Amino acid sequence: MIHDKYFCGIDIGARSIKAGVIKINGISDVKLIGVYEHKTYGFKDNAVSDLDEFSESINLAITELTKKTGIKIKDVQVGLGGAMLDARQASAVIPLIDRGSKVITQRDIKKVNHNARLLGVQMEEEVLHDLPQGYSVDEMSSSLNPLGLYGRKLGVRALVIVINENRIRNITKAVHQAGYDVPNVFFSSFSSSEVILSDSDKSKGCILIDIGSQYTSVLIFKDGVLQFLKG
C-alpha cells in the first residue's frame, strides 16, 4: 500500500517567495494542498544581501503555509529564477575502442555525459541541470538514445544550466538557518515545464514563457528535449 507523501517547495523571486505543499499518492495522483506568498527581504540583484532578513522571509512564508495546511514541514525543495542562472552549450566525444566496434553501454553514455558536464562548467559554478540534446556515433547523428548501437566513438551535445557556487550556498544557508533541509535545488521554469508540458508537446515542438516581475524566461522544446533557453 502506498502512503501519502507531502512535499514542500519554495520559488524564490525578486519580489516574493512563494511556498507550496503537494500531496502524492502514487505516480499519477498529485494534489496541491496549499500555497502562500510572502514579500522577499534581504535579497538584491539576484543574490542574498542580508542573510538574517532573507532567512526570516523564508521562515515566515513556510510558517504561514504550515498554519494554512496543517502539514509539518522539514524538507524544502528550492526553485530559482532564470536571472540567477546561466545556460550554455557543452559537448564531448569519447573513444569506445581502438579497432573494430563495440556495443554502446549505459556506462559509455554516463561517461560522455559526465565529460560534457565537466567541460560546460566553469570555476566557482555548480550544475543544476545537464540536459543531453543529442548523441552522435562515429561522428554521425543518432537518436537521443544510442544504447545498444555499434560504434568506435560516442559524442554528446548538451545544454548545461549552472549557478554561481557562492550564490547557491548563501541561499541554501538561509533555508537551513530558517530551520529546514534542502534536498534539491531546481531551475523553476524547467521544473514547471515537467508539469505543464506533455511528452507530445515536447516532441512536436513548443515554447514555454515564464513571466516574472523583473525577468522572463523563454524555453524552446523540440524532439522531446529542451533545445534553447533565453532570459
Side-chain angles (χ1 to χ4, degrees), residues 40-134:
T40 303
Y41 293 102
F43 198 76
K44 185 179 180 181
D45 297 329
N46 302 305
V48 178
S49 57
D50 188 305
L51 183 63
D52 290 339
E53 282 192 352
F54 185 57
S55 181
E56 182 64 16
S57 297
I58 294 171
N59 182 58
L60 288 172
I62 299 177
T63 298
E64 291 302 318
L65 180 64
T66 300
K67 292 178 181 178
K68 186 176 181 179
T69 62
I71 305 299
K72 187 176 180 180
I73 297 168
K74 295 181 179 180
D75 298 332
V76 177
Q77 315 288 330
V78 177
L80 304 178
M84 308 176 208
L85 312 173
D86 191 17
R88 64 178 67 97
Q89 296 287 335
S91 61
V93 178
I94 61 170
L96 300 173
I97 194 169
D98 292 332
R99 294 183 179 180
S101 299
K102 74 178 289 288
V103 174
I104 296 172
T105 65
Q106 194 65 52
R107 182 178 180 180
D108 297 323
I109 296 173
K110 183 177 180 180
K111 181 178 179 180
V112 76
N113 288 344
H114 177 70
N115 286 4
R117 180 188 180 104
L118 291 178
L119 293 172
V121 66
Q122 299 176 3
M123 291 184 63
E124 298 184 353
E125 287 183 339
E126 184 171 326
V127 177
L128 290 188
H129 306 283
D130 55 317
L131 310 170
Q133 297 174 310

Side-chain angles (χ1 to χ4, degrees), residues 92-102 104 108 112 135-140 142 146 149-156:
V93 178
I94 61 170
L96 300 173
I97 194 169
D98 292 332
R99 294 183 179 180
S101 299
K102 74 178 289 288
I104 296 172
D108 297 323
V112 76
Y135 294 92
S136 62
V137 178
D138 297 341
E139 300 180 354
M140 295 182 291
S142 180
L149 298 179
Y150 284 98
R152 293 181 61 185
K153 290 191 296 184
L154 175 64
V156 66

Side-chain angles (χ1 to χ4, degrees), residues 209-224:
I209 301 176
D210 188 358
I211 302 175
S213 61
Q214 297 182 3
Y215 190 87
T216 297
S217 298
V218 178
L219 293 80
I220 300 178
F221 293 84
K222 180 65 176 173
D223 298 327

